[in-house]
Amino acid sequence: MDENIKNEEPKVLLTKGEDGKLKAVSGMEKDGKLNTVDPTKENADKFFQVNPSGNLIENFMQKFSGQYRQPSHTGLYAVAGSAVDKIAAFLDKIIKMNPDDKVLAPYKVKPDGQMQEQSPGKYQPLDLNKVDWKDAEKLGLSGDQLQDTLKAMAYGHKSPGLVDIKAEIDGQEITVKARLSLQEQPDGSIKIQTHPFQEQPDFESPYMGVKFTLEDIEQFKQTGNGGRVFDLEPVPGGEKIPSLISLDKLTNRFESVPTSEIKIGPTIKNAVLSQEQITTFEHGGSILIKGMDKRVKPGEEPSKIDRIGQFNAANRNIDFRFTPEQIQQYQQERQARREQAEENGPLKARKVGDIWIRPVQGGVELTREQFQKVCKGIPVWVEGMQQAPPKQKEGAQQIETADWKGQKYNAWVWPDPERGHVRHTSKHPDELRAGRKVTPADSHKTQVAVNNEGKTNEATKHAQSKGEPLKSGQTNPTARQDEMKKEREQKQSPAAPKKSTGKGRKM
């Protein structure tokens, strides 16, 4: 008997429960109904385990063969006892998406007790039962963390995203982010490989004996790929191996693959490749591939697309990107859609450069034309704005023309990139750029001087005594203020002294 099979760990049987999720089989009733429990570590002592040293579920089938001919369940899956929770969560998700997905094949059990045979072909998934799950435990990986990543890993790819794992540095256990992959070992077992995240790519240090040139660095920054063949030394001073290098954009680390392991098929998405194109791919070059099948969404008609393709050593597949002309066309179409939406929909705040521009300025809602002009950096004259009294902090910036007592004011509204915000000024920006000092407009110069700065004039003597702020454009007393002035003067004048009669008391 094969030593690997002899030492293989027992399997736990899974079947779909009444709630639609996979459950671990714990036994079977006389009527053929399976007893199940949740596939968690807490229930490990209740699992019904089968011995794989002979027929995978021979013992199970001999004991329950009569009841199994008409089962009340919908199928059985056999998974490693040390990873029931992890694999069960993964299989649950796959079954919901596609119960016929071939990634399920290594775990399906046929009615005769045999495992499903995988049809020969390319890209057969790895059997997750062979993974060293004790390593996964050390990394702190749970089934919930892995259910979205195991399918890609089963096909030899890295996890689609970063996963939190435990790591030990200088004796301290910390949590770090990393991508994961599975690597088959010579003895048939599978190890979990970690690819830790780092903040920035290291372009300065040599990579396997290769010092990147400025052209290489620019290529990596633009496409993520080196774009040529590099002679790498996996072992310092050892044999040089021609390889392609790419930058993993999720981890910011370099990954390589020997050119001898790169096999490009004759077609990509049903677009036929010439031998010259295949050779270019295998040497790291990029190619415009025309007439590929576009992924069709429900309700769409089949169509063809053109894209630039390049082999990615980090993902071990072909990357696709738009041509410069396609990018320009996409941007134009996007701008057109935005403008059309702006014509029909409500105005929304928009970030232009580093400045947020809002459709309401000083309590006044801008017209669509005004808002679009401000977004383009064109000043607009807005009337009837007002500024609520600010909770002034030391060093805080104030709107130049605002009347803080709540009276309305008029001003130019425009975005100032130098100050990083939208400004309200009484003078046109062109005048300000010419070096002239910002002063309130004549129409409300007195208003701002009085209400903001506490100055006085004929009008303010009356308005201030009544606690009345000046209106925009007011510089002289109103008729009502004149009348009120006379009344106050009469009330405030002291009584006239009586005239002396010259007669007095003799002392």
Side-chain angles (χ1 to χ4, degrees):
M1 184 176 294
D2 191 309
E3 190 66 24
N4 288 334
I5 295 179
K6 187 175 180 180
N7 296 328
E8 190 174 1
E9 66 174 298
K11 296 292 188 294
V12 174
L13 300 178
L14 301 177
T15 189
K16 187 179 290 187
E18 294 180 357
D19 60 358
K21 295 183 178 181
L22 288 180
K23 305 290 183 180
V25 176
S26 60
M28 180 180 280
E29 302 288 350
K30 291 183 179 180
D31 61 359
K33 181 181 178 181
L34 291 175
N35 295 325
T36 60
V37 294
D38 289 330
T40 61
K41 293 180 181 178
E42 291 75 15
N43 293 326
D45 59 339
K46 301 177 183 178
F47 297 158
F48 181 84
Q49 299 190 4
V50 295
N51 186 355
S53 59
N55 186 324
L56 181 64
I57 56 172
E58 183 178 0
N59 297 334
F60 180 83
M61 294 304 299
Q62 286 177 351
K63 189 173 182 179
F64 302 113
S65 58
Q67 293 88 338
Y68 193 87
R69 291 192 180 94
Q70 293 181 337
S72 60
H73 51 82
T74 57
L76 289 173
Y77 300 87
V79 302
S82 63
V84 173
D85 59 331
K86 299 176 181 64
I87 302 182
F90 162 65
L91 297 181
D92 250 333
K93 182 168 184 177
I94 300 300
I95 292 170
K96 289 178 182 178
M97 293 191 300
N98 180 12
D100 297 321
D101 196 313
K102 62 182 178 180
V103 77
L104 298 171
Y107 317 98
K108 285 185 177 180
V109 180
K110 295 191 292 187
D112 60 3
Q114 299 295 319
M115 299 296 292
Q116 294 276 20
E117 293 182 4
Q118 297 189 60
S119 57
K122 199 175 180 181
Y123 305 129
Q124 290 300 323
L126 297 171
D127 184 354
L128 301 178
N129 282 323
K130 298 179 180 179
V131 175
D132 185 349
W133 290 106
K134 290 182 180 179
D135 280 355
E137 295 287 344
K138 294 176 183 177
L139 295 172
L141 296 172
S142 66
D144 289 339
Q145 284 178 288
L146 295 176
Q147 64 175 324
D148 294 329
T149 67
L150 283 177
K151 183 174 182 179
M153 293 164 63
Y155 281 100
H157 303 301
K158 286 184 287 188
S159 58
L162 296 172
V163 179
D164 288 333
I165 63 171
K166 292 180 182 178
E168 190 172 302
I169 299 179
D170 297 331
Q172 297 291 324
E173 187 178 276
I174 62 172
T175 300
V176 298
K177 292 188 178 296
R179 293 185 78 178
L180 306 176
S181 64
L182 300 177
Q183 189 175 74
E184 195 166 9
Q185 305 299 305
D187 63 356
S189 64
I190 299 173
K191 291 281 188 182
I192 294 179
Q193 301 294 318
T194 60
H195 309 269
F197 165 82
Q198 65 183 21
E199 289 295 336
Q200 296 293 335
D202 184 2
F203 293 115
E204 300 302 322
S205 302
Y207 177 77
M208 293 190 186
V210 172
K211 178 69 174 176
F212 296 128
T213 66
L214 294 177
E215 290 77 9
D216 294 334
I217 295 173
E218 188 61 28
Q219 274 289 321
F220 282 122
K221 289 181 177 180
Q222 287 185 1
T223 67
N225 304 307
R228 67 179 180 90
V229 176
F230 297 83
D231 291 328
L232 302 182
E233 293 181 359
V235 178
E239 180 186 2
K240 293 183 181 293
I241 300 178
S243 307
L244 299 185
I245 305 175
S246 295
L247 184 64
D248 187 325
K249 295 182 179 180
L250 289 180
T251 65
N252 288 323
R253 292 181 181 273
F254 295 105
E255 304 278 351
S256 61
V257 59
T259 54
S260 60
E261 297 181 10
I262 300 173
K263 304 298 180 185
I264 306 297
T267 63
I268 295 180
K269 299 182 184 295
N270 287 330
V272 179
L273 301 178
S274 67
Q275 185 56 49
E276 181 181 0
Q277 288 177 313
I278 293 175
T279 302
T280 301
F281 271 137
E282 293 175 341
H283 286 77
S286 57
I287 302 168
L288 176 61
I289 310 171
K290 295 185 176 182
M292 294 187 295
D293 287 342
K294 181 182 179 182
R295 181 180 295 178
V296 179
K297 297 179 181 178
E300 284 187 347
E301 293 292 329
S303 60
K304 300 291 185 179
I305 57 174
D306 303 335
R307 295 288 187 272
I308 295 176
Q310 189 173 26
F311 187 82
N312 185 307
N315 299 327
R316 301 206 170 203
N317 57 17
I318 301 295
D319 275 348
F320 298 102
R321 61 181 185 271
F322 293 107
T323 66
E325 293 77 17
Q326 289 171 332
I327 293 174
Q328 183 179 10
Q329 181 182 358
Y330 172 77
Q331 291 174 339
Q332 291 174 346
E333 292 175 351
R334 183 180 179 184
Q335 180 64 23
R337 288 195 299 270
R338 177 189 291 175
E339 291 176 355
Q340 185 175 3
E342 289 174 353
E343 288 295 329
N344 303 323
L347 298 177
K348 296 181 180 180
R350 187 189 306 173
K351 191 174 185 181
V352 179
D354 294 327
I355 302 175
W356 275 102
I357 300 176
R358 292 172 172 75
V360 176
Q361 297 289 327
V364 175
E365 184 170 356
L366 304 181
T367 65
R368 194 174 298 277
E369 182 182 2
Q370 286 176 321
F371 181 68
Q372 290 174 348
K373 283 184 176 181
V374 176
C375 290
K376 294 176 181 178
I378 302 173
V380 297
W381 179 255
V382 181
E383 298 184 349
M385 295 186 291
Q386 65 184 72
Q387 176 77 5
K391 296 179 180 178
Q392 193 65 23
K393 295 181 180 180
E394 185 177 354
Q397 184 163 1
Q398 302 169 346
I399 296 178
E400 290 99 323
T401 63
D403 176 349
W404 308 326
K405 292 194 176 180
Q407 295 303 303
K408 294 184 178 181
Y409 65 95
N410 309 327
W412 289 100
V413 175
W414 55 288
D416 188 345
E418 293 182 2
R419 297 198 181 184
H421 64 85
V422 174
R423 294 178 64 182
H424 298 183
T425 58
S426 58
K427 288 188 178 296
H428 192 281
D430 290 344
E431 295 182 63
L432 302 182
R433 295 187 186 102
R436 299 184 183 180
K437 184 179 178 182
V438 180
T439 58
D442 290 338
S443 61
H444 60 285
K445 185 186 300 181
T446 304
Q447 173 195 359
V448 173
V450 171
N451 293 348
N452 290 0
E453 302 171 16
K455 296 182 180 180
T456 60
N457 71 352
E458 283 302 310
T460 65
K461 290 176 183 177
H462 311 293
Q464 287 178 314
S465 65
K466 297 291 290 179
E468 298 176 359
L470 290 189
K471 304 289 191 296
S472 178
Q474 182 181 355
T475 59
N476 296 309
T478 63
R480 173 60 181 160
Q481 288 171 339
D482 272 334
E483 183 179 345
M484 292 173 64
K485 177 185 176 183
K486 292 177 182 179
E487 290 177 358
R488 278 195 303 275
E489 287 178 346
Q490 290 175 357
K491 291 179 181 179
Q492 294 174 357
S493 298
K498 294 182 179 180
K499 293 183 179 180
S500 176
T501 60
K503 298 180 179 179
R505 192 175 192 183
K506 260 188 180 179
M507 297 296 293

